[in-house]
Amino acid sequence: MLNEEPVGVAVLGLGNVGSEVVRIIEDSADDLAARIGAPLVLRGVGVRRVAADRGVPAELLTDNIEELVSRDDVDIVVELMGPVEPARKAILLALEHGKSVVTANKALLSRSTGELADAAERARVDLYFEAAVAGAIPVIRPLTQSLAGDTVRRVAGIVNGTTNYILSEMDSTGTDYASALADARALGYAEADPTADVEGFDAAAKAAILASIAFHTRVTADDVYREGISNITPDDVASARALGCTIKLLSICERITTAEGQQRVSARVYPALVPSSHPLATVNGAFNAVVVEAEAAGRLMFYGQGAGGAPTASAVTGDLVMAARNRVQGSRGPRESKYAQLPIAPIGDIVTRYYVSMDVADKPGVLSTVAAEFAQHEVSIAEVRQEGVADEDGRRVGARVVVVTHRAPEAALSETVAALADLDAVQRVASVLRLEGTGQ
């Protein structure tokens, strides 16, 4: 039986996602009401510019965001404006007026989760953000609810479709980074300015959100170590393939234990070699996937479309239904869990395997000199490959050495690379990448 009192909704932003959310609210009104227990009524849509051709009745449009989120007939505010401002101001105002909030604003959440969570707690309302990470893929709710009784050890995945498309193209066609990026732009996967995606900022924001939830610790984007993919070359891709791997931009969040027994949180984003046998190696194109490893549940994988208007709107609407249902029932959803407050581990504490590619002098004794430098810094070598480098006329002009290490601390590897660069036999260290998912 439906509650006669409707739940009023204000949507801020009418881009691809906002337009789709408005459409779902209107086209699925009966189904949504049945799931919620009360009618869901769109009270208004906040936009930067009011125009008659926005696909929404003119009387619902307003550019007065403050007035809209403060209205008495609005119970839930759906923020889909981006960027950080004016979204932050609008969300805080909505929370102060006792409105529950649904947002997909990863950049804001990765910097101001604590501020927003505290405001929601003071007002005793909900703050939902499933769509902020991996679009339609349910990741946030499983971490906050399904695994609430478990201990999460590691969350790793591909959470940026633009970079995954570029790297997939480089792997499948042998093209270079610039050409793959141009293709991504032509298909609408990359923005005119792709910096946020290709330099890892977008993935780092999502890593901060995932780490905060998984490890009950406030982690911000500034806590996340970040590298992008713009320096990946066809040679790196070919070498990875020769090693039975592919290159993916990974967001990795994990609970680590120091030699002294202290637990810390690591959150990092970088391109890494992933074995072809690993589930993430088969995630291609603009798709996303997240692998969660927990003590009792073991390994869980979530896969699907990580961006786009309809997929993201699906996650937003799911949050909207949850928030509306809580309003009708007089309850609240999960609140921020920050009891652990674990320290953030610096990147130098991380232990993993490495791929180091260097251009060297084509003469005897170079390999032994290089190997000695690794040994000096206690970085064990697992595999070495050497190949000739030819000019455009096919004449051999040098050599390339690729070293794959066993597991070693990041700090030791960094010292090794710095020492290699100073060797007369090494012309340049061309690439340093990690290997993840090898279990060795």
Side-chain angles (χ1 to χ4, degrees):
M1 183 175 180
L2 289 182
N3 190 327
E4 293 183 1
E5 186 70 25
V7 177
V9 180
V11 176
L12 309 183
L14 201 56
N16 290 339
V17 180
S19 298
E20 188 66 15
V21 169
V22 168
R23 184 195 67 77
I24 293 172
I25 291 173
E26 294 176 340
D27 293 354
S28 304
D30 292 342
D31 283 344
L32 294 177
R35 296 168 193 171
I36 292 166
L40 197 64
V41 178
L42 183 64
R43 300 298 192 189
V45 179
V47 293
R48 291 188 176 89
R49 179 180 59 86
V50 176
D53 58 348
R54 302 302 296 271
V56 174
E59 62 271 18
L60 289 177
L61 296 175
T62 179
D63 58 5
N64 191 335
I65 303 298
E66 294 184 12
E67 188 276 334
L68 176 60
V69 303
S70 304
R71 282 171 47 175
D72 291 338
D73 62 349
V74 170
D75 301 296
I76 303 171
V77 172
V78 179
E79 185 279 309
L80 300 169
M81 296 186 297
V84 172
E85 295 291 359
R88 174 183 163 277
K89 181 179 178 181
I91 290 176
L92 286 173
L93 184 61
L95 293 171
E96 289 168 4
H97 280 80
K99 322 297 184 184
S100 291
V101 170
V102 174
T103 179
N105 197 326
K106 53 188 171 288
L108 173 59
L109 288 164
S110 69
R111 286 168 169 76
S112 303
T113 297
E115 181 183 26
L116 302 182
D118 287 345
E121 188 61 30
R122 287 193 297 270
R124 300 189 64 77
V125 295
D126 288 327
L127 175 65
Y128 281 111
F129 47 88
E130 180 68 66
V133 179
I137 305 172
V139 176
I140 303 299
R141 195 163 290 121
L143 286 172
T144 55
Q145 298 182 43
S146 304
L147 297 173
D150 209 336
T151 299
V152 175
R153 289 296 177 189
R154 180 180 170 96
V155 181
I158 298 164
V159 296
N160 182 273
T162 300
T163 53
N164 201 47
Y165 175 84
I166 291 170
L167 292 173
S168 296
E169 281 295 291
M170 293 178 69
D171 184 62
S172 62
T173 67
T175 190
D176 61 14
Y177 166 78
S179 298
L181 173 59
D183 289 344
R185 278 203 184 100
L187 292 169
Y189 293 142
E191 302 288 345
D193 179 2
T195 302
D197 292 319
V198 300
E199 296 303 335
F201 290 100
D202 174 81
K206 295 170 182 175
I209 295 169
L210 290 172
S212 297
I213 296 169
F215 307 122
H216 310 280
T217 296
R218 283 183 178 173
V219 180
T220 70
D222 291 338
D223 295 321
V224 181
Y225 177 84
R226 175 191 54 79
E227 292 180 15
I229 68 165
S230 56
N231 292 325
I232 301 297
T233 67
D235 287 336
D236 294 327
V237 174
S239 292
R241 191 181 302 113
L243 294 166
C245 297
T246 187
I247 298 177
K248 299 292 185 182
L249 183 72
L250 298 184
S251 294
I252 302 173
C253 313
E254 64 181 336
R255 187 191 303 262
I256 66 173
T257 304
T258 66
E260 295 76 28
Q262 182 188 40
Q263 288 199 344
R264 293 185 177 183
V265 170
S266 168
R268 55 199 194 268
V269 170
Y270 45 58
L273 277 70
V274 179
S276 300
S277 58
H278 194 281
L280 292 176
T282 61
V283 179
N284 293 313
F287 279 78
N288 285 190
V290 176
V291 176
V292 178
E293 297 176 17
E295 283 190 0
R299 177 187 282 182
L300 308 171
M301 182 170 176
F302 304 88
Y303 167 84
Q305 295 188 58
T312 305
S314 171
V316 170
T317 309
D319 279 350
L320 176 57
V321 168
M322 295 297 294
R325 188 181 293 161
N326 292 341
R327 283 271 172 169
V328 171
Q329 297 175 353
S331 60
R332 292 177 62 194
R335 300 152 208 181
E336 182 193 27
S337 175
K338 62 180 190 307
Y339 72 88
Q341 287 301 331
L342 299 175
I344 306 300
I347 189 64
D349 287 356
I350 303 308
V351 178
T352 189
R353 301 181 67 195
Y354 302 91
Y355 155 99
V356 182
S357 171
M358 62 200 92
D359 294 336
V360 300
D362 191 10
K363 61 183 182 181
V366 170
L367 279 180
S368 61
T369 301
V370 167
E373 206 59 63
F374 278 86
Q376 176 69 25
H377 293 88
E378 299 183 347
V379 178
S380 176
I381 294 176
E383 183 176 347
V384 178
R385 294 176 51 247
Q386 181 173 350
E387 57 189 29
V389 176
D391 62 16
E392 294 180 355
D393 297 323
R395 293 174 298 192
R396 183 162 173 145
V397 294
R400 179 174 295 114
V401 170
V402 172
V403 174
V404 177
T405 75
H406 290 296
R407 289 173 60 82
E410 180 87 19
L413 192 282
S414 296
E415 292 173 358
T416 305
V417 170
L420 289 170
D422 288 338
L423 292 178
D424 291 338
V426 176
Q427 296 166 352
R428 71 180 182 116
V429 178
S431 298
V432 179
L433 300 171
R434 289 89 177 169
L435 277 78
E436 298 286 351
T438 64
Q440 300 177 25

XYZ file of all heavy atoms in Angstrom, residues 66-118:
395
model
N 20.247 27.546 -4.845
C 20.066 27.675 -3.399
C 18.594 27.621 -3.019
O 18.212 26.965 -2.034
C 20.700 28.977 -2.902
C 22.224 29.002 -3.033
C 22.817 30.264 -2.435
O 22.085 31.007 -1.728
O 24.007 30.516 -2.670
N 17.763 28.297 -3.782
C 16.331 28.293 -3.485
C 15.738 26.903 -3.673
O 14.929 26.433 -2.862
C 15.610 29.311 -4.381
C 14.146 29.537 -4.035
C 13.206 28.516 -4.663
O 13.565 27.951 -5.717
O 12.114 28.284 -4.100
N 16.187 26.209 -4.732
C 15.629 24.886 -5.035
C 15.951 23.880 -3.932
O 15.066 23.150 -3.464
C 16.180 24.392 -6.374
C 15.765 22.977 -6.801
C 14.241 22.876 -6.931
C 16.437 22.604 -8.119
N 17.208 23.822 -3.500
C 17.584 22.799 -2.509
C 17.069 23.137 -1.120
O 17.129 22.291 -0.215
C 19.108 22.587 -2.470
C 19.634 22.197 -3.844
C 19.837 23.813 -1.934
N 16.535 24.350 -0.925
C 16.019 24.757 0.387
C 14.503 24.615 0.487
O 13.943 24.814 1.582
C 16.413 26.218 0.675
O 17.809 26.404 0.593
N 13.853 24.282 -0.597
C 12.381 24.235 -0.609
C 11.848 23.166 0.338
O 12.399 22.076 0.453
C 11.877 23.972 -2.025
C 11.902 25.203 -2.908
C 11.623 24.909 -4.359
N 10.463 24.041 -4.579
C 9.990 23.737 -5.783
N 10.589 24.220 -6.874
N 8.937 22.948 -5.910
N 10.730 23.462 0.976
C 10.116 22.534 1.922
C 9.587 21.274 1.244
O 9.499 20.227 1.888
C 8.971 23.224 2.667
C 9.466 24.310 3.619
O 10.648 24.248 4.006
O 8.669 25.219 3.952
N 9.221 21.371 -0.038
C 8.644 20.199 -0.716
C 9.712 19.322 -1.369
O 9.390 18.367 -2.075
C 7.601 20.617 -1.749
C 8.177 21.491 -2.862
O 9.342 21.942 -2.726
O 7.465 21.735 -3.863
N 10.986 19.623 -1.142
C 12.086 18.796 -1.646
C 12.650 17.973 -0.494
O 13.065 18.511 0.533
C 13.205 19.665 -2.270
C 14.445 18.822 -2.558
C 12.714 20.322 -3.552
N 12.652 16.649 -0.653
C 13.163 15.743 0.371
C 14.552 15.203 0.028
O 15.336 14.895 0.922
C 12.208 14.555 0.546
C 10.816 14.994 0.950
O 10.683 15.557 2.052
O 9.858 14.786 0.165
N 14.831 15.065 -1.271
C 16.092 14.479 -1.713
C 16.663 15.341 -2.838
O 15.938 15.725 -3.765
C 15.909 13.035 -2.222
C 15.291 12.161 -1.139
C 17.242 12.448 -2.683
C 14.882 10.785 -1.633
N 17.953 15.620 -2.756
C 18.648 16.384 -3.798
C 19.610 15.438 -4.512
O 20.436 14.778 -3.867
C 19.400 17.577 -3.212
C 20.283 18.235 -4.275
C 18.420 18.590 -2.625
N 19.493 15.386 -5.829
C 20.388 14.575 -6.658
C 21.354 15.519 -7.349
O 20.955 16.289 -8.226
C 19.601 13.747 -7.691
C 20.556 12.936 -8.563
C 18.602 12.826 -7.002
N 22.610 15.475 -6.935
C 23.612 16.410 -7.475
C 24.384 15.759 -8.605
O 25.110 14.795 -8.407
C 24.566 16.846 -6.359
C 25.565 17.904 -6.796
C 26.775 17.345 -7.536
O 27.407 16.402 -7.018
O 27.070 17.844 -8.641
N 24.241 16.317 -9.819
C 24.926 15.805 -11.005
C 25.534 16.951 -11.803
O 25.665 16.874 -13.019
C 23.935 15.016 -11.876
C 23.287 13.814 -11.184
C 22.134 13.268 -12.016
C 24.316 12.726 -10.925
N 25.903 18.005 -11.104
C 26.451 19.181 -11.773
C 27.938 19.019 -12.045
O 28.403 19.223 -13.170
C 26.257 20.433 -10.911
C 24.837 20.841 -10.665
S 24.764 22.426 -9.767
C 25.561 22.006 -8.220
N 28.696 18.663 -10.958
C 30.134 18.761 -11.093
C 30.463 20.204 -11.457
O 29.594 20.952 -11.875
N 31.671 20.680 -11.364
C 32.805 20.049 -10.677
C 32.681 20.211 -9.171
O 31.560 20.195 -8.646
C 34.000 20.790 -11.253
C 33.441 22.161 -11.569
C 32.003 21.954 -11.978
N 33.811 20.419 -8.471
C 33.774 20.507 -7.020
C 32.906 21.678 -6.561
O 32.073 21.543 -5.671
C 35.198 20.622 -6.446
C 35.164 20.919 -4.951
C 35.984 19.339 -6.720
N 33.089 22.813 -7.135
C 32.227 23.964 -6.870
C 31.493 24.319 -8.159
O 32.082 24.234 -9.241
C 33.039 25.173 -6.380
C 33.709 24.986 -5.034
C 32.733 24.929 -3.855
O 31.513 25.055 -4.084
O 33.197 24.742 -2.740
N 30.203 24.634 -8.088
C 29.397 24.940 -6.903
C 28.714 23.723 -6.260
O 27.847 23.906 -5.409
C 28.345 25.893 -7.462
C 28.122 25.374 -8.852
C 29.466 24.899 -9.339
N 29.090 22.512 -6.672
C 28.411 21.328 -6.146
C 28.551 21.226 -4.630
O 27.584 20.902 -3.921
C 28.967 20.077 -6.815
N 29.750 21.476 -4.125
C 29.981 21.364 -2.676
C 29.046 22.284 -1.904
O 28.418 21.870 -0.912
C 31.436 21.695 -2.363
C 31.764 21.764 -0.882
C 33.226 22.165 -0.675
N 33.459 22.615 0.690
C 33.206 23.844 1.125
N 32.705 24.748 0.284
N 33.442 24.165 2.382
N 28.942 23.516 -2.333
C 28.087 24.485 -1.644
C 26.630 24.044 -1.683
O 25.909 24.123 -0.666
C 28.236 25.860 -2.301
C 27.403 26.954 -1.651
C 27.626 28.291 -2.355
C 26.759 29.381 -1.724
N 26.942 30.702 -2.411
N 26.180 23.541 -2.836
C 24.790 23.117 -2.978
C 24.485 21.911 -2.096
O 23.427 21.838 -1.454
C 24.503 22.784 -4.441
N 25.411 20.949 -2.052
C 25.193 19.754 -1.238
C 25.156 20.104 0.239
O 24.289 19.631 0.996
C 26.284 18.699 -1.524
C 26.089 18.114 -2.925
C 26.246 17.587 -0.480
C 27.178 17.141 -3.334
N 26.100 20.926 0.685
C 26.115 21.311 2.099
C 24.844 22.058 2.486
O 24.279 21.837 3.575
C 27.343 22.172 2.389
C 28.686 21.435 2.436
C 29.839 22.427 2.569
C 28.714 20.428 3.581
N 24.378 22.912 1.609
C 23.136 23.646 1.888
C 21.959 22.684 1.970
O 21.096 22.808 2.861
C 22.894 24.700 0.809
C 21.671 25.610 1.015
C 21.828 26.401 2.311
C 21.499 26.546 -0.179
N 21.912 21.717 1.047
C 20.827 20.729 1.074
C 20.848 19.931 2.375
O 19.808 19.718 3.015
C 20.951 19.802 -0.122
N 22.036 19.490 2.774
C 22.152 18.714 4.011
C 21.754 19.558 5.224
O 21.073 19.073 6.134
C 23.592 18.207 4.165
C 24.055 17.162 3.134
C 25.556 16.914 3.274
C 23.282 15.857 3.275
N 22.161 20.812 5.243
C 21.808 21.694 6.358
C 20.301 21.879 6.467
O 19.775 22.105 7.578
C 22.490 23.057 6.174
C 23.996 23.022 6.395
C 24.673 24.294 5.937
O 23.954 25.237 5.524
O 25.919 24.353 5.968
N 19.597 21.765 5.343
C 18.132 21.898 5.345
C 17.438 20.542 5.508
O 16.225 20.435 5.282
C 17.665 22.593 4.063
C 17.823 24.083 4.090
N 19.032 24.705 3.846
C 16.934 25.075 4.372
C 18.878 26.018 3.937
N 17.614 26.272 4.270
N 18.205 19.511 5.853
C 17.597 18.222 6.156
C 17.233 17.387 4.950
O 16.401 16.472 5.056
N 17.842 17.667 3.803
C 17.579 16.866 2.604
C 18.616 15.748 2.491
O 19.812 15.979 2.697
C 17.662 17.725 1.333
C 17.109 19.134 1.453
C 15.631 19.168 1.765
C 15.113 20.620 1.777
N 13.698 20.703 2.177
N 18.173 14.559 2.153
C 19.128 13.512 1.799
C 19.738 13.856 0.446
O 19.106 14.542 -0.367
C 18.446 12.150 1.739
O 18.059 11.736 3.037
N 20.958 13.371 0.206
C 21.678 13.730 -1.021
C 22.182 12.483 -1.720
O 22.711 11.566 -1.084
C 22.860 14.674 -0.711
C 23.758 14.847 -1.935
C 22.359 16.032 -0.235
N 22.016 12.472 -3.031
C 22.612 11.472 -3.906
C 23.538 12.213 -4.864
O 23.136 13.212 -5.471
C 21.534 10.710 -4.708
C 22.189 9.777 -5.728
C 20.616 9.929 -3.779
N 24.779 11.757 -4.991
C 25.725 12.445 -5.868
C 26.604 11.441 -6.602
O 26.814 10.326 -6.118
C 26.614 13.434 -5.076
O 27.539 14.071 -5.968
C 27.405 12.708 -3.991
N 27.103 11.853 -7.758
C 28.065 11.057 -8.519
C 29.389 11.801 -8.632
O 30.230 11.455 -9.453
C 27.519 10.758 -9.916
N 29.579 12.802 -7.766
C 30.709 13.728 -7.892
C 31.957 13.164 -7.216
O 32.246 13.460 -6.056
C 30.326 15.073 -7.277
C 31.242 16.193 -7.710
O 32.432 15.984 -7.912
N 30.686 17.373 -7.858
N 32.715 12.377 -7.956
C 33.900 11.708 -7.386
C 34.974 12.700 -6.971
O 35.650 12.508 -5.963
C 34.462 10.704 -8.385
C 34.747 11.285 -9.753
C 35.107 10.220 -10.753
C 35.175 10.798 -12.162
N 33.834 11.137 -12.701
N 35.169 13.762 -7.755
C 36.205 14.739 -7.414
C 35.897 15.397 -6.074
O 36.789 15.573 -5.233
C 36.309 15.787 -8.514
N 34.646 15.751 -5.854
C 34.247 16.358 -4.594
C 34.368 15.370 -3.443
O 34.922 15.690 -2.380
C 32.812 16.877 -4.699
C 32.176 17.389 -3.410
C 32.989 18.535 -2.832
C 30.735 17.808 -3.664
N 33.864 14.171 -3.639
C 33.893 13.168 -2.573
C 35.317 12.814 -2.169
O 35.602 12.583 -0.994
C 33.152 11.912 -3.019
C 31.626 12.034 -3.096
C 31.048 10.884 -3.900
C 31.014 12.088 -1.708
N 36.224 12.758 -3.129
C 37.604 12.366 -2.819
C 38.352 13.432 -2.045
O 39.431 13.176 -1.512
C 38.363 12.043 -4.115
O 38.587 13.220 -4.879
N 37.784 14.631 -1.973
C 38.423 15.710 -1.230
C 37.636 16.131 0.013
O 38.219 16.616 0.975
C 38.607 16.938 -2.137
C 39.728 16.761 -3.141
C 39.728 17.832 -4.204
N 40.953 17.775 -4.978
C 41.205 16.856 -5.929
N 40.294 15.946 -6.207
N 42.352 16.859 -6.587
N 36.321 15.931 -0.038
C 35.483 16.478 1.043
C 34.530 15.454 1.648
O 33.502 15.831 2.207
C 34.667 17.667 0.497
O 35.499 18.662 -0.034
N 34.858 14.167 1.555
C 33.969 13.150 2.111
C 33.689 13.416 3.582
O 32.545 13.331 4.041
C 34.577 11.747 1.957
O 34.705 11.446 0.568
C 33.683 10.695 2.600
N 34.724 13.727 4.350
C 34.539 13.957 5.774
C 33.608 15.112 6.059
O 32.699 15.003 6.901
N 33.777 16.212 5.350
C 32.925 17.380 5.544
C 31.475 17.059 5.216
O 30.550 17.410 5.978
C 33.422 18.528 4.654
C 32.628 19.809 4.786
C 33.100 20.898 3.841
O 33.671 20.556 2.779
O 32.899 22.085 4.164
N 31.251 16.367 4.103
C 29.890 16.021 3.698
C 29.283 14.996 4.641
O 28.104 15.089 5.013
C 29.888 15.491 2.264
C 30.444 16.422 1.183
C 30.319 15.779 -0.188
C 29.754 17.772 1.214
N 30.073 13.990 5.033
C 29.564 12.958 5.942
C 29.195 13.555 7.291
O 28.172 13.182 7.894
C 30.601 11.857 6.111
N 30.007 14.478 7.792
C 29.706 15.125 9.068
C 28.414 15.935 8.974
O 27.590 15.935 9.909
C 30.860 16.038 9.486
C 32.083 15.261 9.949
O 31.958 14.045 10.211
O 33.171 15.869 10.026
